[in-house]
Amino acid sequence: MVGVSADQLSVYDAIRLRRDVRAEFTGELVDDDTLLRILDAAHRAPSVGNSQPWDFVVVRQAETLRRFAGHVADKRAEFGASLPADRATTFAPIKIDGIVESGTGVVVTHDDSRGGPQVLGRASVPETGVYSTVLAIQNLWLAATAEQVGVGWVSFYDPEYLRELVGLPAGIKPVAWLCVGPVDAFQQVPDLERFGWRSGRSLAEAVHHETFGG
């Protein structure tokens, strides 16, 4: 898709191109205008009861990035040590973050109280609040892909550590640390497939008719 501008890229193209980026960051910072467009796309996500329960903490201080990267490295080591030998060998070369290399972290948070005590549409399924925040992350990811900006979702961390690191008040839950930055290119095959951790399922396996398994 080289030479195609963001406003020419179809949503289907962006979905196909999207990757969880780890090793492909150029080391350059995403410029402020582009980052704001990406965050604007995230903020336009649908949300239950129009509650918009998300916030975005942009982290660029080098020391904060290094501290979080060190914490994530410790959690990675803990996970690796918990694996049986064959899975540990498969896991060893897999890079799990680009915290420092991307130069920009976006911490996406969730406020379950946003929208007041009666959030329209959430009474029967309270999880729809967090679902809304995750939809904002998907919007961010697809918009970034259209801009040729990579995103990597980091999930090897202690939520309480991250809460303290970026000063989240009580009641605000961290949902994701996203590494955001320009990339050399997007991998054609997802990392976990390339490194043999797990292959994807076919669409035929995931589609059912009328009943599960039908």
Side-chain angles (χ1 to χ4, degrees), residues 12-83:
Y12 289 101
D13 290 330
I15 289 168
R16 282 190 289 265
L17 284 172
R18 185 211 61 81
R19 289 290 176 268
D20 201 351
V21 175
R22 309 299 185 189
E24 292 76 28
F25 292 110
T26 65
E28 300 294 321
L29 282 180
V30 59
D31 67 85
D32 290 342
D33 288 343
T34 301
L35 181 60
L36 189 61
R37 284 196 300 272
I38 292 168
L39 293 175
D40 180 66
H43 193 58
R44 292 175 185 271
S47 63
V48 64
N50 200 27
S51 55
Q52 297 182 304
W54 50 71
D55 285 278
F56 311 104
V57 182
V58 178
V59 180
R60 282 180 162 168
Q61 289 187 359
E63 178 57 26
T64 306
L65 297 175
R66 284 194 294 269
R67 285 178 59 194
F68 189 60
H71 173 73
V72 169
D74 290 341
K75 292 298 179 182
R76 184 192 193 282
E78 289 176 15
F79 178 71
S82 74
L83 295 171

Side-chain angles (χ1 to χ4, degrees), residues 67-161:
R67 285 178 59 194
F68 189 60
H71 173 73
V72 169
D74 290 341
K75 292 298 179 182
R76 184 192 193 282
E78 289 176 15
F79 178 71
S82 74
L83 295 171
D86 60 332
R87 294 302 270 168
T89 299
T90 302
F91 177 63
I94 299 175
K95 185 173 172 60
I96 63 161
D97 75 85
I99 296 164
V100 172
E101 298 92 331
S102 67
T104 301
V106 176
V107 181
V108 183
T109 68
H110 175 75
D111 181 356
D112 214 41
S113 68
R114 186 77 51 74
Q118 291 88 34
V119 176
L120 192 156
R122 206 181 71 183
S124 300
V125 188
E127 295 86 356
T128 52
V130 174
Y131 299 163
S132 300
T133 297
V134 174
L135 284 170
I137 293 171
Q138 180 76 330
N139 268 23
L140 183 156
W141 214 327
L142 294 179
T145 301
E147 298 273 5
Q148 296 292 300
V149 170
V151 175
W153 188 330
V154 180
S155 55
F156 282 74
Y157 63 84
D158 177 348
E160 288 305 313
Y161 180 92

